[in-house]
Amino acid sequence: MSYLDITIKDSVAILTLDKPGEKVNTLDESMMEEFSSFLDKLEKDSELKGAVLISGKENNFIAGADIEMFKARETAEELEQLSKNGHAILNKIETSSKPFVVAIHGSCMGGGLELSLACDYRIATNHSKTMMALPEVKLGVIPGTGGTQRLPRLIGIQKALGYMLTGGNIFAKKAKHIGLVDELIHKDALEEAAIKAVHKLSGSNSFKRKDKRSLVEKVLEGNPVGRSIIFSQAKKKTLVQTKGNYPAPLMILDAVKYGYQKGLQKGLENETRLFGKAGATSESRALVNLFFGITDAKRNPLADNIKPISTIGILGAGLMGSGITDVSINKAGYSVLLKDQTVEAAAKGEQVIWNALNQKVKKRIITPFERDRLSSKVTGTDSYESFEKADVVIEAVFEDLELKQRIVAQVEKATGDHCIFASNTSSLPISEIAKGAKRPENIIGMHYFSPVQKMPLLEIITTPQTADWVTATAYEIGVKQGKTVIVVNDGPGFYTTRILAPYMNEALLLLEEGASIEFLDKIMKKFGYPVGPMALLDEVGMDVGAHVGETMAPVFNARGGKSSTKAKELIDAGYRGRKNTKGMYSYSGKKKEVNAEVYSFFGGTSRTNPDTETAQLRMALMTVNEAAYCLEENILKSPTDGDLGAILGLGFPPFTGGPFRYLDQVGIQSTVDRLNEFTEKFGPRFKPASILTEYAKEGKRFYATD
Amino acid sequence: MNTPKEYPFIPVLVDGIRIPFLKSGTNYYNLMAYDLGRMAIQGLLVRSDLALESIDRVIMGNVIQEVRTSNVARESALGAGIPNTVPAFTTSMACISSNQAITSGVDLIRSGQAKIILAAGTETMSDIPVRFKKKFRQNVLAARKYKSPIEFLKVFKGLGVKDFLPELPAIAEFSTGETMGQSADRMSARFGASRKDQDEFAMRSHHLAAKATNEGLLDQEIITAKIPPKFNIVEHDNGFRDDTTLEKLGKLRPAFVKPHGTITAGNASFLTDGASACFIMEEQTALSLGLTPKAYLREYNYVSQDPGEELLLGPAYATPKVLDSMELTLENIDVFELHEAFAGQVLSVLNALDSDDFAKKSLNRDKKVGLIPMDKLNTLGGSLSLGHPFGATGVRLVTTAANRLQREDGKYALVSACAAGGQGHAIILERYEVK
């Protein structure tokens, strides 16, 4: 079986890309070889006027380079060579005497788009599945087959930088509008249009592409002074966003800038060098591993045990309940019975869904009819009527054990034996909730993160009684809802809440010791968290924070921990966080401002900030050490789950690769040393988990390779 | 005493619901008939665990067409999440449009062409199509061929100020030009329904509707409407008046025939928005799905007369005919559900049925059909008080009749209704006994 299928139509070679045995095409070495030998033939064959590149896959052109190729190459030199090989072929296409037309339907990502850029003419389908992007930055690398040079020359520097620095998608209409593609056509006429384009390009009338840039863009980008302004502005903005933690965006800027200073040829050569350099960074390695972790997690390990799901009952129509409803209908296509105590409250949940859909209508992403059809999948109710048709019930009610146990009994009465009961608790042990249940084997934890529509993680918690089919089906629901799923064992706070609680506790202790609110947030953002601990406490709500603290305290206190009681005191005084606009920050004004009133609970308004690095590590190592405890106590089944959970659920800095990759990277011994040092200085809560001391002693690591 | 006709496949009513019927211009004001129909279908679907692709047909009654959704059954079905592989069609037969939806389903089941039918009805009177005058319409349509901007000026050529005034549709017979109210007023006089009788009947309807609502007797068939974009909740009909009295009704002036007419706004049905939906299935199919039917749908008929003289007298013809077809008499019927277009129209039908003279002259019978006992008639209110969204009333009547049969432990129910065009309909339901 070969990757390329070559047929001749109308004196045009049609190259159909169809990677054997795969759902999508990815660029790999075998494809490049086949391509290279075709190029030689094309030049020699005088009968052929040109070539069309088209995909044999459904809704996919090329998903990008085969990332497995990265795995096999570790050093910058190896990666640079890989990039050079790609360049050689693309340069051949670009300089070929015969026209190359690329016919794009479906996703056209990374190397796929770079290949398209090297062709003479691009036709795309006006289909919702057709989208283009250079997402390399998300893997900590830079476009490595000419993207940094050809894209800005085609659509303009500023637009190209925007797309390359964010890795954002470009949909068909937009692509045409900015001149990335030359023509749009409906799917079934794509090949025909591409053949015609070859004839047009090989004919006597030479094709001249119109510059689609705005006047301002043309003026600014057309001279070295304007360009240097663009680059310096972009660099400033990038540094603000990355806090210096991610090298790839700056390398992209460098690559583009260099190409404009020294010309295309030198620019291309420089790109291969920078690509190698970026690919060898630990940040890139961590992000690539994260990518593999997420991809693997999309595969249900218990796929044989899945039972069909069509209707979900969701209890509680608040923020959590409506969020779960949203992904259940929009992503998974399930029907939802959304129950709350009153019809009015349930209808508010329906309204949230409708409003979100209506926003899409306003942006012309969907039609009003599509909004109606999707919102019809949710029915708000105040009773368990019709719940006998529910295949799973997910409760998102108050964090109160007795209430949840009562609800288990109600749900068991209202539903059939096949119905799964899932609790969206963030800290209560599932086995406690299942106590007294008639069907404890049907009970499982499905811990979603707020806002559910945006947060990518689902933490599934199983008890020793949970049946395999229940776990398998819950996993499937998560994947259908677009979530990355980890499965952990039951215990107070399971995994994510358990590693978050001591981190937050440490932040509160630092606040008690005199640090300022903005200092703590600033240094943790610098460390790589998307949100600082103080702002996070406001987001989740002081009440939730206090409740988690209370639930978890026994676990930590048993190890000699020191629990801050300040969150509880703050709620009692009426500070609940963003919910009531009063928390660590005040949200009543237009701007979020530090709420100085809060300092009266933490020793007054005069603050003295501690050493930055010590403070950062005191907080971060709390999470890292607790993650190790979770692995040691078998709450976690693998370090990969631990890394995914910390990054996707809590925002642990992605470039580190997660707590376990971080340990491997920094060194387990040095972390143990640091923890011992902290134990002496700040108390026994820093005592390293025994798995860490053991690994350090034996020189073991959590992952075989970086 | 009677032998039901033998059909290889027997249709049963499994469940029926409606959204609250609301006075036009109130809460459903911003919605299309499509939206109301969608809400009703969704409400019905939520109550069952049916695999939606097993539905054979969606049939929906509707009278006043919105041009954007001319086959409103299809649009409502798709919008409610019914798979696009389920065909849908709209029936239009004035006030008995959704009766026609039901009986079309009955026919499909009896003939073995379908097992599961979703029959429904929808209507909004809040947004009836207002048109331009004909001349202006013609000019606008001609403009589709124009090319240059100057040519478009021709749109206004030959038009007077009057031609720009909008044109409202009237509820008048096309064939006679008479409004329904005028016709009913004349019929009331002919059958001796006095103003006082009519006011009393109207008051009875309002009081019964209020009582039924307060006692929760309609809860089984009404689902809560949640109206976007604010998702305000409506749980009950809003047209009935608990506090209406003969004195208040007596003060109203005649609405159609002035000054001596007897029909007023108080004893006529009001403009209403609403929708209803029900599941009709072949008996064995319903049982195999584990469902408990409410009633058998037995014999039915449609009749029609002179739209001038006997516009709304259909039930007086349809009733004896349907009873005869099952060898039943009025005494065998435990539940009567008659559509109430006007109090005078219902009383005219009742009087006609109880008249030997009418029986001889019009029905070709020796003796009168008989008296329908008031304690069995429309005991939960009727169209006068609950409201009358044209296309949705039929499913309401049949659903209410079936629920009453179950609750009141009756055997047979008779549903009958009149419609514009001088047409009428009757159907017999038989209570489903769980075997």
Side-chain angles (χ1 to χ4, degrees):
Chain A
M1 284 244 274
S2 68
Y3 197 129
L4 285 182
D5 175 54
I6 303 166
T7 53
I8 313 288
K9 263 189 210 167
D10 237 355
S11 314
V12 174
I14 315 282
L15 276 73
T16 306
L17 291 91
D18 201 347
K19 190 171 190 172
E22 298 283 341
K23 264 193 186 160
V24 296
N25 290 320
T26 48
L27 296 174
D28 61 15
E29 280 146 320
S30 77
M31 185 258 175
M32 298 216 264
E33 270 167 38
E34 285 184 46
F35 211 97
S36 188
S37 64
F38 163 77
L39 285 171
D40 297 336
K41 265 189 235 152
L42 180 71
E43 285 299 321
K44 282 179 209 143
D45 192 336
S46 59
E47 295 286 299
L48 288 175
K49 291 204 168 135
V52 166
L53 279 177
I54 196 164
S55 165
K57 305 290 185 199
E58 192 191 348
N59 297 337
N60 163 260
F61 178 67
I62 294 172
D66 185 351
I67 299 178
E68 295 289 336
M69 293 192 298
F70 288 113
K71 265 192 175 168
R73 293 174 175 77
E74 282 191 19
T75 66
E77 292 70 31
E78 286 173 312
L79 288 161
E80 187 179 332
Q81 190 54 50
L82 181 70
S83 170
K84 276 186 178 156
N85 298 347
H87 273 259
I89 295 174
L90 263 54
N91 290 345
K92 254 191 192 170
I93 293 177
E94 193 171 43
T95 54
S96 165
S97 62
K98 295 182 178 173
F100 270 76
V101 172
V102 62
I104 306 165
H105 171 71
S107 50
C108 173
M109 302 298 192
L113 181 55
E114 294 180 288
L115 169 62
S116 309
L117 288 169
C119 295
D120 301 280
Y121 197 81
R122 286 159 291 279
I123 304 179
T125 61
N126 51 3
H127 192 275
S128 61
K129 290 273 158 67
T130 297
M131 58 175 106
M132 285 146 248
L134 290 177
E136 286 81 355
V137 71
K138 293 181 183 172
L139 295 177
V141 289
I142 75 168
T145 27
T148 65
Q149 305 305 306
R150 293 193 180 102
L151 188 65
R153 284 172 176 78
L154 184 64
I155 66 170
I157 300 171
Q158 292 166 87
K159 282 200 196 91
L161 285 179
Y163 290 121
M164 288 191 289
L165 292 175
T166 60
N169 288 331
I170 312 167
F171 290 90
K173 253 193 196 157
K174 184 82 181 176
K176 172 77 169 52
H177 182 72
I178 61 175
L180 177 55
V181 302
D182 300 299
E183 239 180 85
L184 291 181
I185 185 90
H186 47 85
K187 188 176 151 207
D188 295 313
L190 182 61
E191 187 181 290
E192 203 47 48
I195 294 171
K196 274 190 193 147
V198 171
H199 287 292
K200 186 169 85 178
L201 293 174
S202 64
S204 48
N205 293 336
S206 68
F207 163 71
K208 187 88 174 68
R209 188 170 282 116
K210 214 176 133 196
D211 189 343
K212 296 280 189 79
R213 289 178 303 170
S214 71
L215 185 63
V216 180
E217 285 171 330
K218 281 180 201 164
V219 170
L220 208 55
E221 293 173 8
N223 66 84
V225 181
R227 286 198 292 269
S228 80
I229 295 172
I230 293 171
F231 290 124
S232 74
Q233 290 293 335
K235 187 169 178 178
K236 238 188 242 164
K237 225 174 116 189
T238 303
L239 280 172
V240 168
Q241 274 165 0
T242 63
K243 312 255 183 303
N245 288 324
Y246 295 87
L250 292 179
M251 292 191 195
I252 290 173
L253 281 173
D254 279 350
V256 178
K257 192 172 161 187
Y258 189 91
Y260 273 89
Q261 283 166 347
K262 312 268 169 154
L264 178 65
Q265 209 42 51
K266 288 233 167 96
L268 286 169
E269 284 160 27
N270 183 52
E271 184 195 84
T272 62
R273 197 179 52 77
L274 285 173
F275 175 81
K277 197 175 147 196
T281 59
S282 67
E283 290 85 355
S284 170
R285 288 281 144 187
L287 292 171
V288 168
N289 282 319
L290 181 65
F291 173 85
F292 281 121
I294 292 172
T295 312
D296 283 347
K298 296 275 174 207
R299 268 182 228 123
N300 192 336
L302 297 159
D304 295 340
N305 293 324
I306 301 167
K307 290 206 180 167
I309 294 286
S310 65
T311 302
I312 298 192
I314 292 174
L315 309 181
L319 196 62
M320 225 26 186
S322 56
I324 301 171
T325 304
D326 189 308
V327 295
S328 298
I329 62 159
N330 288 317
K331 294 241 164 101
Y334 301 134
S335 296
V336 171
L337 294 165
L338 183 58
K339 182 185 173 300
D340 209 306
Q341 277 166 318
T342 63
V343 183
E344 283 79 5
K348 284 288 158 232
E350 279 189 61
Q351 190 186 6
V352 170
I353 307 295
W354 192 88
N355 281 346
L357 288 167
N358 205 40
Q359 282 305 316
K360 288 192 192 168
V361 172
K362 282 185 184 156
K363 290 182 191 158
R364 296 182 176 230
I365 299 168
I366 59 170
T367 63
F369 172 80
E370 200 59 13
R371 171 201 64 204
D372 295 345
R373 195 184 63 77
L374 287 166
S375 56
S376 284
K377 288 181 167 290
V378 193
T379 304
T381 172
D382 61 351
S383 78
Y384 284 109
E385 201 183 321
S386 302
F387 265 63
E388 67 273 4
K389 68 191 237 183
D391 304 300
V392 56
V393 173
I394 302 173
E395 67 81 13
V397 303
F398 290 116
E399 291 282 65
D400 176 335
L401 184 60
E402 273 175 43
L403 172 68
K404 288 188 196 257
Q405 287 171 337
R406 243 188 351 261
I407 281 179
V408 170
Q410 289 168 3
V411 170
E412 287 188 327
K413 216 171 125 197
T415 58
D417 285 345
H418 74 293
C419 184
I420 297 173
F421 182 94
S423 173
N424 176 48
T425 175
S426 59
S427 60
L428 297 171
I430 304 302
S431 45
E432 290 291 318
I433 295 173
K435 243 179 212 162
K438 273 193 235 127
R439 307 190 291 261
E441 67 280 8
N442 287 18
I443 297 184
I444 196 164
M446 287 176 85
H447 180 201
Y448 293 86
F449 294 77
S450 190
V452 182
Q453 294 89 333
K454 291 212 177 104
M455 295 294 282
L457 187 74
L458 171 65
E459 183 183 25
I460 287 180
I461 305 105
T462 58
T463 75
Q465 286 173 294
T466 308
D468 275 354
W469 72 265
V470 172
T471 312
T473 308
Y475 201 110
E476 187 65 13
I477 292 170
V479 171
K480 286 264 169 67
Q481 288 168 334
K483 301 295 169 209
T484 301
V485 182
I486 61 170
V487 181
V488 303
N489 284 315
D490 196 19
F494 337 117
Y495 171 63
T496 53
T497 307
R498 171 141 170 212
I499 62 168
L500 177 67
Y503 165 83
M504 296 294 253
N505 185 58
E506 201 60 29
L508 286 171
L509 291 177
L510 279 159
L511 200 59
E512 287 180 40
E513 289 169 27
S516 71
I517 291 169
E518 65 270 34
F519 169 78
L520 292 173
D521 277 352
K522 205 178 121 204
I523 61 167
M524 289 327 274
K525 275 160 88 174
K526 175 82 186 74
F527 189 77
Y529 281 90
V531 185
M534 299 290 112
L536 182 62
L537 199 54
D538 279 355
E539 290 301 326
V540 301
M542 212 69 77
D543 46 342
V544 176
H547 178 261
V548 168
E550 255 172 67
T551 316
M552 304 300 299
V555 182
F556 302 131
N557 292 348
R559 297 204 311 254
K562 178 179 169 193
S563 299
S564 168
T565 53
K566 293 294 176 189
K568 179 84 178 48
E569 286 173 39
L570 283 169
I571 324 172
D572 292 343
Y575 297 95
R576 298 180 57 210
R578 194 187 263 284
K579 285 178 209 181
N580 71 342
T581 70
K582 278 166 63 184
M584 295 297 181
Y585 294 86
S586 164
Y587 302 87
S588 45
K590 273 188 188 156
K591 251 181 84 185
K592 165 176 144 181
E593 276 169 8
V594 167
N595 185 4
E597 291 171 26
V598 164
Y599 285 137
S600 64
F601 295 84
F602 296 91
T605 43
S606 102
R607 315 302 298 169
T608 22
N609 290 326
D611 169 56
T612 300
E613 200 213 351
T614 309
Q616 282 175 328
L617 285 180
R618 271 178 64 179
M619 289 184 268
L621 288 187
M622 268 297 172
T623 284
V624 171
N625 193 29
E626 202 59 36
Y629 272 112
C630 287
L631 189 64
E632 180 183 315
E633 292 170 19
N634 203 27
I635 295 282
L636 274 178
K637 292 173 185 169
S638 73
T640 309
D641 285 350
D643 285 342
L644 285 177
I647 293 174
L648 303 180
L650 308 176
F652 193 86
F655 64 86
T656 63
F660 294 100
R661 291 249 174 227
Y662 171 90
L663 281 162
D664 278 355
Q665 179 67 32
V666 175
I668 298 176
Q669 184 62 59
S670 75
T671 307
V672 167
D673 292 345
R674 186 63 81 119
L675 284 167
N676 284 331
E677 175 200 329
F678 282 180
T679 307
E680 268 174 43
K681 271 195 202 156
F682 305 109
R685 63 182 183 281
F686 284 99
K687 190 175 162 282
S690 21
I691 194 172
L692 291 182
T693 46
E694 216 174 276
Y695 271 45
K697 207 190 281 165
E698 294 167 18
K700 276 166 74 178
R701 349 171 354 119
F702 291 103
Y703 293 94
T705 58
D706 277 342
Chain B
M1 106 195 131
N2 66 85
T3 45
K5 282 190 194 150
E6 291 289 324
Y7 297 105
F9 304 107
I10 300 168
V12 292
L13 179 82
V14 172
D15 194 14
I17 55 98
R18 62 186 177 91
I19 54 174
F21 285 180
L22 303 182
K23 287 189 283 187
S24 291
T26 63
N27 306 50
Y28 297 148
Y29 185 65
N30 287 319
L31 301 183
M32 297 165 73
Y34 145 80
D35 291 307
L36 302 181
R38 188 165 59 78
M39 286 156 72
I41 293 176
Q42 188 196 345
L44 181 70
L45 297 182
V46 164
R47 300 224 298 211
S48 85
D49 197 9
L50 195 71
L52 300 186
E53 51 284 357
S54 65
I55 298 172
D56 292 301
R57 209 83 89 230
V58 174
I59 314 173
M60 197 167 210
N62 175 243
V63 177
I64 300 188
Q65 262 194 16
E66 156 69 51
V67 286
R68 284 184 293 164
T69 57
S70 52
N71 183 6
V72 68
R74 177 63 170 165
E75 312 307 345
S76 292
L78 288 175
I82 290 190
N84 57 20
T85 50
V86 178
F89 67 94
T90 304
T91 52
S92 196
M93 204 173 176
C95 307
I96 51 177
S97 295
S98 62
N99 304 86
Q100 182 58 61
I102 291 174
T103 58
S104 298
V106 164
D107 293 347
L108 286 169
I109 289 172
R110 280 183 185 162
S111 63
Q113 295 182 76
K115 298 291 180 204
I116 300 174
I117 301 285
L118 196 161
T122 186
E123 203 72 50
T124 178
M125 300 296 292
S126 291
D127 186 22
I128 51 178
V130 176
R131 304 217 289 179
F132 288 121
K133 290 273 168 62
K134 176 128 186 174
K135 247 181 166 177
F136 188 35
R137 294 204 309 264
Q138 286 173 328
N139 286 9
V140 168
L141 292 177
R144 288 186 293 191
K145 290 181 201 139
Y146 298 162
K147 292 202 175 72
S148 75
I150 293 291
E151 267 188 300
F152 280 95
L153 291 174
K154 284 200 277 186
V155 169
F156 304 104
K157 207 175 141 193
L159 296 177
V161 176
K162 272 189 194 165
D163 292 314
F164 291 103
L165 292 175
E167 196 175 75
L168 278 158
I171 306 175
E173 281 299 297
F174 182 75
S175 60
T176 64
E178 202 177 28
T179 66
M180 213 175 260
Q182 287 170 330
S183 192
D185 212 316
R186 218 149 31 79
M187 190 168 77
S188 304
R190 178 179 156 197
F191 288 97
S194 70
R195 166 74 188 264
K196 188 163 167 282
D197 290 347
Q198 291 184 41
D199 284 352
E200 264 173 15
F201 187 82
M203 187 179 73
R204 169 189 185 271
S205 183
H206 280 276
H207 287 174
L208 287 174
K211 186 164 176 273
T213 305
N214 293 335
E215 289 175 3
L217 298 179
L218 294 171
D219 291 356
Q220 211 178 348
E221 65 180 75
I222 300 183
I223 58 153
T224 305
K226 300 159 209 132
I227 303 159
K230 299 234 155 132
F231 284 76
N232 295 327
I233 303 288
V234 181
E235 294 182 290
H236 301 295
D237 307 316
N238 71 359
F240 61 82
R241 291 166 173 267
D242 203 359
D243 58 351
T244 203
T245 61
L246 280 182
E247 200 195 347
K248 278 187 198 167
L249 288 168
K251 279 186 190 154
L252 297 169
R253 293 215 205 128
F256 301 99
V257 180
K258 289 158 193 173
H260 297 299
T262 52
I263 295 191
T264 69
N267 59 35
S269 57
F270 48 86
L271 297 181
T272 314
D273 307 334
S276 52
C278 68
F279 266 128
I280 305 171
M281 298 184 194
E282 186 270 320
E283 183 184 4
Q284 296 309 318
T285 305
L287 295 178
S288 70
L289 289 168
L291 299 166
T292 313
K294 287 175 187 275
Y296 289 107
L297 295 165
R298 297 297 192 195
E299 293 304 304
Y300 74 83
N301 64 45
Y302 289 90
V303 296
S304 52
Q305 310 86 45
D306 176 6
E309 284 307 309
E310 300 189 330
L311 183 69
L312 303 174
L313 204 56
Y317 290 90
T319 298
K321 210 172 147 189
V322 81
L323 289 171
D324 288 351
S325 70
M326 288 187 67
E327 296 174 33
L328 295 172
T329 66
L330 286 180
E331 282 79 53
N332 299 119
I333 306 295
D334 304 296
V335 166
F336 290 91
E337 281 294 329
L338 253 59
H339 166 49
E340 303 168 348
F342 300 91
Q345 161 266 327
V346 181
L347 294 173
S348 297
V349 167
L350 297 184
N351 291 349
L353 288 171
D354 198 32
S355 153
D356 285 328
D357 191 39
F358 180 77
K360 279 177 197 148
K361 276 190 193 152
S362 300
L363 300 176
N364 202 19
R365 294 162 78 101
D366 298 340
K367 277 179 69 188
K368 62 187 182 183
V369 181
L371 190 67
I372 292 181
M374 290 303 266
D375 61 338
K376 291 181 182 169
L377 172 68
N378 299 359
T379 53
L380 308 180
S383 300
L384 285 172
S385 50
L386 300 172
H388 174 39
F390 300 157
T393 290
V395 170
R396 173 184 74 77
L397 291 170
V398 169
T399 302
T400 305
N403 286 338
R404 278 182 59 198
L405 273 181
Q406 291 284 336
R407 195 179 309 121
E408 297 166 15
D409 201 17
K411 180 155 191 195
Y412 291 111
L414 181 130
V415 171
S416 188
C418 59
Q423 312 207 73
H425 162 73
I427 184 168
I428 302 267
L429 274 61
E430 182 183 339
R431 181 192 165 155
Y432 195 90
E433 302 277 355
V434 182
K435 283 158 197 146

